[in-house]
Amino acid sequence: MFDMDAKVLTETTGQKNLPRWFARVFSVAGRGVAHGRLDFVMPDGRRFRIQGAGPGPQAEVVVHDPDIFARLIREGDLGFCEAYLDGGWSSPDLMAFMDLIHADNDDLYDGFPGLGLLRKYEAFRHWLRGNSRAQARRNIAAHYDLGNDFYALWLDPSMTYSSALYRGTDDLQEAQRQKYAAMVDALDVAPGAHVLEIGCGWGGFAEYAAGERGLRLTCLTISQAQHDYAVARIARAGLSDRVEIRLQDYRDTTGQFDAIASIEMFEAVGEKYWPTYFDVVHNRLKPGGKACLQVITVQEKRFEIYRQTPDFIQKYIFPGGMLPPPSKMQSLPQAAGLRPLGGLSFGRDYARTLRVWHERFNARWPEIAAMGFDARFRRMWNFYLASCAGAFEYGNCDVTQFRYERPGG
């Protein structure tokens, strides 16, 4: 094992015949790891270590294809992510690697931008998947129509695919129920009130809000698979007289409602349509009505880079997606005539939720594989869940239940 100066990689007996670009990658990574430790394990068994000055996660990258270093320089962090999907590298603890990336190691996180032409190409691809009505349906189908049976294997029994809110419980299903309860409390409505839910998923919030809190709901989704599941679920619960599930774009909804709820749907709206979304929230609320939107946000200081350079999540998991910074969740609703009322942030609860999903996903992998999903799909989802867990654990992303009011009434 070689502990090397990250700034100078000298040719000694044990350091010869290294892959092209390894020295440059090691140098940049060495400056970037301020907290924790990173080991590179080469195909011939040699191990090269970067030790940060401060404590932090300990991670290991096992190199299978030496071309990963050229890809990292040429294609940036997205190329490195894709090299993982292709089997070019692995890690005995991918979660620890993602924690290291996000653990206040900003120079490592931002140290590999890739070539400008390739960044522009990826930005153009992302632009092509903007959320017009037709494209929004295709974008949602690409992720949510993988199959209800697929999600049922590793989500909790409530089929909730958003951050739980852990308050005095270790049980994921109960933590999801606590999240739903906090949403209804934030809406400040009495039983019998009519609530619009924008993006209803598989109907978990609707079943809770109608069944346990006595509300009436009109729920929107543009996923056919989720629509069909939610309709059947509400019927089984005997709540069809209180809950209507519509296969409808939020932009096509009419009428006014006592309150509006939306759980992690805003991330799929797309930056171009953010003003439209808040106009809809304002116009669909009765004067005096409140809205509660659970939204994932990206750090303010990272937003400009993030919006110009599509990442792994946008390319492979949520096409057309875009996270807002917290400031946009103030300025945009105000421009639409809404009054911000504060919010509840619980990013580390999302990290905890994602780690549970990661464990469940891998525990059920034999059954998932039997559905026809291959090893590359498994690597893609592991990368997605682990990278998101790290982002929430170390504050690069947060999740907040934002509250708004339409003045008047």
Side-chain angles (χ1 to χ4, degrees):
M1 188 271 289
F2 300 92
D3 290 294
M4 298 187 300
D5 186 332
K7 295 180 180 178
V8 180
L9 183 63
T10 59
E11 282 286 331
T12 67
T13 303
Q15 297 165 13
K16 292 180 179 178
N17 303 316
L18 288 170
R20 188 184 183 198
W21 301 112
F22 175 81
R24 182 171 171 185
V25 168
F26 195 88
S27 177
V28 173
R31 292 192 298 268
V33 178
H35 302 88
R37 188 182 79 197
L38 175 62
D39 285 7
F40 289 96
V41 181
M42 309 307 289
D44 61 8
R46 287 179 294 172
R47 180 184 295 266
F48 298 92
R49 174 167 294 172
I50 297 168
Q51 181 69 58
Q58 299 182 4
E60 183 176 299
V61 170
V62 180
V63 179
H64 306 298
D65 181 356
D67 187 54
I68 67 169
F69 301 107
R71 292 192 67 176
L72 186 53
I73 296 299
R74 182 177 64 245
E75 303 166 38
D77 56 6
L78 181 56
F80 192 68
C81 298
E82 292 176 330
Y84 178 81
L85 301 190
D86 297 336
W89 65 274
S90 63
S91 176
D93 188 343
L94 185 63
M95 194 71 74
F97 175 76
M98 292 303 177
D99 283 348
L100 177 76
I101 296 296
H102 291 280
D104 295 322
N105 291 317
D106 290 355
D107 290 341
L108 179 63
Y109 190 93
D110 299 319
F112 299 97
L115 300 179
L117 183 61
L118 290 176
R119 294 200 306 272
K120 290 179 180 179
Y121 170 72
E122 292 296 345
F124 177 68
R125 280 170 51 94
H126 183 66
W127 175 80
L128 289 176
R129 298 196 288 187
N131 288 288
S132 64
R133 284 170 174 77
Q135 185 61 43
R137 285 179 180 264
R138 289 190 287 269
N139 289 341
I140 291 298
H143 188 80
Y144 292 98
D145 289 359
L146 288 171
N148 297 330
D149 292 341
F150 162 71
Y151 287 100
L153 283 175
W154 53 273
L155 293 178
D156 70 276
S158 72
M159 286 289 281
T160 304
Y161 189 34
S162 53
S163 180
L165 180 62
Y166 289 91
R167 293 295 182 267
T169 183
D170 292 324
D171 180 71
L172 176 60
Q173 186 174 4
E174 176 57 26
Q176 295 290 13
R177 183 182 177 278
Q178 291 177 347
K179 182 262 303 292
Y180 289 151
M183 291 285 294
V184 174
D185 292 344
L187 296 177
D188 192 23
V189 288
H194 192 185
V195 176
L196 173 67
E197 185 185 9
I198 302 177
C200 66
W202 288 279
F205 176 76
E207 183 174 12
Y208 169 82
E212 297 194 38
R213 305 294 287 270
L215 302 177
R216 293 191 301 123
L217 290 100
T218 296
C219 305
L220 312 180
T221 180
I222 56 174
S223 164
Q224 186 69 59
Q226 289 187 327
H227 170 270
D228 296 346
Y229 185 100
V231 169
R233 172 187 195 151
I234 294 302
R236 286 195 304 271
L239 298 171
S240 298
D241 59 331
R242 296 190 211 170
V243 178
E244 178 188 5
I245 308 292
R246 295 181 183 174
L247 190 65
Q248 186 178 58
D249 191 287
Y250 71 95
R251 290 163 285 198
D252 297 327
T253 308
T254 59
Q256 290 190 318
F257 301 82
D258 298 308
I260 294 177
S262 186
I263 302 176
E264 295 179 27
M265 178 271 175
F266 187 77
E267 301 81 354
V269 169
E271 185 177 3
K272 176 182 176 180
Y273 299 100
W274 287 349
T276 300
Y277 177 91
F278 280 109
D279 284 342
V280 169
V281 172
H282 174 272
N283 295 337
R284 299 286 76 80
L285 271 178
K286 293 179 180 178
K290 294 183 175 65
C292 184
L293 315 177
Q294 183 168 312
V295 178
I296 300 169
T297 58
V298 67
Q299 260 190 344
E300 207 75 44
K301 68 179 182 179
R302 295 199 178 280
F303 179 63
E304 285 305 317
I305 294 175
Y306 164 73
R307 69 194 293 261
Q308 296 171 24
T309 308
D311 62 12
F312 171 84
I313 302 296
Q314 291 167 311
K315 184 172 181 178
Y316 287 98
I317 307 298
F318 295 110
M322 175 70 75
L323 306 181
S327 62
K328 294 291 185 182
M329 300 305 296
Q330 299 297 315
S331 61
L332 288 168
Q334 286 177 319
L338 295 167
R339 179 186 299 132
L341 300 176
L344 171 67
S345 297
F346 48 106
R348 287 201 165 175
D349 291 52
Y350 216 152
R352 187 173 178 180
T353 304
L354 284 153
R355 293 180 199 277
V356 173
W357 287 345
H358 181 263
E359 292 177 4
R360 291 184 177 214
F361 176 86
N362 284 287
R364 305 301 292 272
W365 176 251
E367 294 156 273
I368 296 172
M371 294 178 174
F373 297 106
D374 61 13
R376 192 174 194 274
F377 179 87
R378 183 182 191 181
R379 289 193 293 271
M380 180 174 70
W381 272 72
N382 272 312
F383 201 94
Y384 153 52
L385 294 171
S387 63
C388 289
F392 285 105
E393 182 69 29
Y394 292 94
N396 283 321
C397 288
D398 203 351
V399 64
T400 302
Q401 290 182 353
F402 293 98
R403 299 179 67 233
Y404 307 98
E405 182 180 41
R406 177 173 176 174

